[in-house]
């Protein structure tokens, strides 16, 4: 069994991400080692509960950890006030104290919901993430963003709140649908494209092994977590360089919104894949990035089965006007100026905060007509 | 017009508390000076809106600040999830950004509710407090505790979140009922009793001027804010010395709970007054505090019209068993041990974390039978 540890350096709030096989069955001893004497509230969803709850519960029990379990419906709809209230009241009702922990067992939705509950019960309890999707392991479980959706938009309510421990159980990914694994992989590729050309080249050579499991998968997840951890350590509250992590996301979020967040048409990682390809082609058009780099990016994303063109999205056609509206509403917009992550080439992304909305619209218009 | 400024030193989160007359009418310019260009969501309750909303709104307008107003029902019942959601959705719906501010205009309930909303909208917006009760000015608006009540207990859900500015308008207190002013005064006296015997002696000599307004009132509020600010600066997240601020509160909370939080019987500050008197008498009984100090405390609290005995509470008699149950549920209890703030005399309070529940019960039994 291969495993790696990534340390996220945030002063007194530093913590370890453990990555490897068998961590679900070791959850109890791992948590007891970091939070001795703590009781836990285990938050998960119906799908994950069916596959993994017994393994994790048994492990907690073996370690002598008292557990209260909260199972919420699977899916984005659980990131809402009512569900938050339910989780919070359950945790408080179990009389857990500040030194006890909320444990999130599941994908990004569960991590965001449970993490936010941990942040606000008694003004902050301990928190442990056990991400069970690739997307959650390489992205949402690292960095401390937690929260729910508002009726006015996604992720508009929440807290920056760091866990004490992350257990990224790579074997949990064996039960993921291939489409969902590929969607998470878009974020893995993103880390190479932002600032690590060698990692991107390694992915081009090894992606099949990453998909099939084993040491290459652990390596890819570890390098991704390390990249995100380094960025977060430098800019925890996203006042600067952390924005680089949004490569592909401004376009991607607009595409998701334009599809009405209909997962049959487009899931988040697929939006990021298309958005990343668009960011590279837009950079080529602006004379910033060599055309061959954009082509290489597109080739690799296509090879793993990810969409790279707006026209790859099933269902009705999208309009440039609609996409521009969503881009304008994106919360990364600051006082009316468009901020985009653009690139000088593979591994050379940068923050551009002066992008002209007209050029973006013209670019999208051309993309939509091809 | 007298005014004073207290600086709360919390590194990058430091802020000023302005204390004096006329600050309601200066709210716009004061906020614009600290948060140039920010728009605001003004959160208040129906009672405060009737008296002060026009003054504050007009001032914001004169300063060119865009305002969205949220008025909630007055009273503790507004510290709940539904109301939080309403405030949050209004703020988000007004498209306020992280650099914009939530402004709390009102007493402790409004400050706690609005501050928590500010903490979680977009994972943290700017926040300004305009406390309009003595209790809020000297206690709840200082220190960054925000939150709502759970169905299982008070203040169990929330965040530590600091404002950028506090405007303690002393003339707003002219419209407070005397009973409410006196209740807030219990917290003022507390600061002297915790660690500043000279301040307590000053209050004994000058309390009538504090009640009637003018420079003595401003001075009393400023010294109270300074005392709390110093304690908070030393221990923001209440891991140690900040617990001293709970002098009188463990008994006080138990009394409030035993009265079912019925404000006709007992408001928070009155609970603190009785609790403070009890803490001193209990310290005398334990041989820790001179009897004359406890008598002096009781005399002063009585002089200003505060209750000092459990028997001062109107309505049915309370039982020691019931009070002990509430003391055991207090969130300051850590893993089963009773923590009390006790005292060696006026201005010499300390944290005792090994208090025997039996001695507390015996003491309460005797208090109840007098």
């Amino acid at each position: 069994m291969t495993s790696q540890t990534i340390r996220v350096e945030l002063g007194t709030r530093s913590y370890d991400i453990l990555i490897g096989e068998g961590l679900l069955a070791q959850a109890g001893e791992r948590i007891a080692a970091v939070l001795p004497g703590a009781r836990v509230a285990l938050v998960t969803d119906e799908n994950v509960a069916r596959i993994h709850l017994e393994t994790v519960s048994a492990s907690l029990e073996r370690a002598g950890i008292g557990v209260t379990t909260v199972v919420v419906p699977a899916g984005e709809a659980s990131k809402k006030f009512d569900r938050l209230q339910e989780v919070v009241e359950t945790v408080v009702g179990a009389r857990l104290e500040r030194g006890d922990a909320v444990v999130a067992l599941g994908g990004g939705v569960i991590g965001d919901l449970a993490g936010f509950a941990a942040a606000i019960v008694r003004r902050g309890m301990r928190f442990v993430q056990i991400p069970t999707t690739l997307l959650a392991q390489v992205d949402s479980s690292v960095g401390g963003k937690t929260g729910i959706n508002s009726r006015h938009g996604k992720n508009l309510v929440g807290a920056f709140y760091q866990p004490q421990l992350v257990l990224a159980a790579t074997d949990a990914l064996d039960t993921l649908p291939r489409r969902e694994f590929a969607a998470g992989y878009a974020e893995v590729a993103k880390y190479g494209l932002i600032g690590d050309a060698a990692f991107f080249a390694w992915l081009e050579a090894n992606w099949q092994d990453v998909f099939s499991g084993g040491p290459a998968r652990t390596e890819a997840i570890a390098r991704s977590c390390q990249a995100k951890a380094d960025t977060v350590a430098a800019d925890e509250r996203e006042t600067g360089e952390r924005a680089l992590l949004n490569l592909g996301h401004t376009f991607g979020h607009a595409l998701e919104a334009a599809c009405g967040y209909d997962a049959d048409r487009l899931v988040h990682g697929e939006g990021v894949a298309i958005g990343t390809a668009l960011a590279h082609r837009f950079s080529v058009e602006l004379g910033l990035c060599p055309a061959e780099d954009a082509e290489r990016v597109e080739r690799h994303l296509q090879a793993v089965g990810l969409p790279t063109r707006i026209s790859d999205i099933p269902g009705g056609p999208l309009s440039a006007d609609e996409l521009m509206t969503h881009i304008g509403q994106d919360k990364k917009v600051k006082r009316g100026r468009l901020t985009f992550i653009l690139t000088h080439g593979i591994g050379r992304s940068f923050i551009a905060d002066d992008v002209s909305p007209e050029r973006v619209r013209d670019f999208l218009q051309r993309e939509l007509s091809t």
Side-chain angles (χ1 to χ4, degrees), chain A:
Chain A
M1 291 207 290
T2 58
S3 81
Q4 296 198 29
T5 301
I6 303 293
R7 181 80 178 162
V8 182
E9 293 291 352
L10 291 166
T12 56
R13 287 168 294 106
S14 299
Y15 62 93
D16 284 340
I17 303 171
L18 309 188
I19 302 146
E21 297 175 10
L23 288 169
L24 294 179
Q26 297 166 23
E29 59 200 274
R30 300 290 189 171
I31 292 171
V34 175
L35 301 170
R39 293 185 297 145
V40 313
L42 184 59
V43 182
T44 188
D45 72 34
E46 289 165 354
N47 291 347
V48 175
R50 213 161 25 239
I51 311 174
H52 300 303
L53 182 56
E54 203 178 303
T55 307
V56 174
S57 296
S59 172
L60 293 168
E61 204 172 304
R62 276 197 308 276
I65 297 174
V67 186
T68 300
T69 303
V70 192
V71 181
V72 304
E76 185 76 20
S78 281
K79 280 178 62 173
K80 64 176 177 188
F81 264 102
D82 292 357
R83 206 59 75 185
L84 175 70
Q85 181 174 7
E86 178 191 329
V87 173
V88 161
E89 292 288 9
T90 306
V91 174
V92 171
R95 305 193 59 174
L96 298 189
E97 299 174 6
R98 280 190 193 167
D100 295 321
V102 174
V103 177
L105 174 67
V109 167
I110 292 299
D112 286 0
L113 175 69
F116 190 27
I120 65 177
V121 170
R122 294 173 185 273
R123 301 197 184 93
M125 301 176 51
R126 305 286 77 77
F127 177 42
V128 173
Q129 293 254 31
I130 309 183
T132 58
T133 67
L134 181 55
L135 184 64
Q137 292 184 359
V138 300
D139 183 22
S140 53
S141 73
V142 188
K145 284 192 182 177
T146 71
I148 58 175
N149 301 325
S150 149
R151 97 170 55 107
H152 299 281
K154 289 181 56 150
N155 296 320
L156 291 176
V157 186
F160 285 98
Y161 202 67
Q162 303 295 345
Q164 271 67 47
L165 176 68
V166 179
L167 299 176
T170 54
D171 42 348
L173 308 183
D174 293 337
T175 54
L176 267 198
R178 195 191 190 282
R179 184 183 170 201
E180 205 175 332
F181 191 95
Y185 183 86
E187 300 279 3
V188 175
K190 183 190 76 174
Y191 294 113
L193 295 173
I194 289 173
D196 190 346
F199 181 43
F200 186 75
W202 182 86
L203 288 170
E204 287 177 309
N206 295 283
W207 69 268
Q208 274 125 329
D209 291 342
V210 174
F211 272 64
S212 60
R217 179 186 285 176
T218 299
E219 176 69 13
I221 295 171
R223 288 178 78 161
S224 298
C225 288
Q226 187 70 62
K228 181 150 186 186
D230 291 346
T231 309
V232 169
D235 177 22
E236 188 179 2
R237 284 175 176 262
E238 197 168 22
T239 52
E241 292 297 296
R242 182 164 177 167
L244 284 172
L245 298 173
N246 292 322
L247 174 64
H249 281 61
T250 302
F251 285 127
H253 286 153
L255 293 168
E256 283 184 271
C259 291
Y261 298 100
D262 177 354
D264 289 338
R265 295 183 69 189
L266 192 74
V267 295
H268 175 70
E270 293 168 340
V272 170
I274 300 175
T276 300
L278 289 173
H280 281 76
R281 287 200 291 275
F282 186 42
S283 298
V284 171
E285 192 170 293
L286 294 173
L288 298 165
C289 169
E292 56 266 36
D293 281 26
E295 286 153 19
R296 218 177 114 193
V297 171
E298 185 164 356
R299 224 165 23 239
H300 180 56
L301 295 175
Q302 283 173 345
V304 308
L306 281 165
T308 58
R309 300 267 164 184
I310 300 177
S311 58
D312 290 341
I313 302 172
L318 305 175
S319 84
D321 281 342
E322 192 184 355
L323 292 173
M324 287 308 295
T325 304
H326 291 301
I327 286 171
Q329 281 172 351
D330 194 275
K331 69 174 185 236
K332 281 125 207 155
V333 177
K334 220 177 166 183
R335 302 201 182 277
R337 298 167 69 198
L338 283 192
T339 298
F340 265 85
I341 312 307
L342 298 177
T343 184
H344 294 299
I346 286 167
R348 298 174 62 205
S349 297
F350 66 97
I351 302 168
D353 60 5
D354 53 354
V355 175
S356 138
E358 290 70 30
R359 292 211 71 161
V360 178
R361 175 193 295 274
D362 289 351
F363 168 72
L364 286 173
Q365 203 78 61
R366 274 189 299 283
E367 285 282 325
L368 286 160
S369 63
T370 57

